[in-house]
């Protein structure tokens, strides 16, 4: 089975700032080594979980240490009231067919 390298970040944002947060959240270009990225919002629009898949932990770490990522985080900061993040390795689960 193929192993995946995944970065997960969950942020709480100030009420009624989801649109502004989304504009600040998008990177200016696709980071090198990023394969796919997903975003999931709570019903109230105050919690956003981002899940990104990377070629390797090193590729993710390089992006996280980059100047564009630093600028992106600074742009998001006025809207964020809390943040949790972590790096994971894993595999796709095989779901048995009926």
């Amino acid at each position: 089975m193929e192993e995946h390298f995944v970065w997960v970040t969950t942020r709480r944002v100030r009420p009624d700032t989801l649109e502004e947060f989304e504009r600040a959240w998008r990177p200016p270009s696709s980071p090198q080594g990023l394969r796919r990225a997903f975003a999931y919002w709570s019903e109230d629009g105050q919690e956003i979980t981002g899940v990104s898949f990377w070629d390797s932990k090193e590729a993710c770490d390089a992006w996280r240490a980059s100047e564009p990522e630093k600028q992106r985080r600074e742009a998001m900061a006025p809207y964020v009231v809390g943040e949790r993040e972590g790096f994971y390795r894993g595999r796709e689960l095989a779901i048995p067919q009926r």
Side-chain angles (χ1 to χ4, degrees), residues 82-97:
E83 182 175 312
R84 295 182 320 273
E85 55 188 17
F87 187 84
Y88 304 89
R89 292 171 47 181
R91 296 179 181 88
E92 183 176 356
L93 298 177
I95 308 290
Q97 299 297 317

Side-chain angles (χ1 to χ4, degrees), residues 7-26 37-52 72 76 79-85:
W7 185 255
V8 179
T9 305
T10 300
R11 294 179 177 93
R12 289 226 31 102
V13 296
R14 298 184 191 290
D16 303 316
T17 64
L18 182 58
E19 274 189 45
E20 295 90 345
F21 171 80
E22 280 187 289
R23 280 193 291 275
W25 184 41
R26 297 193 184 280
F38 299 87
Y40 305 95
W41 294 265
S42 62
E43 284 189 41
D44 66 3
Q46 292 184 10
E47 187 169 274
I48 299 93
T49 297
V51 180
S52 56
R72 190 178 78 94
M76 288 186 289
Y79 312 108
V80 176
V81 294
E83 182 175 312
R84 295 182 320 273
E85 55 188 17

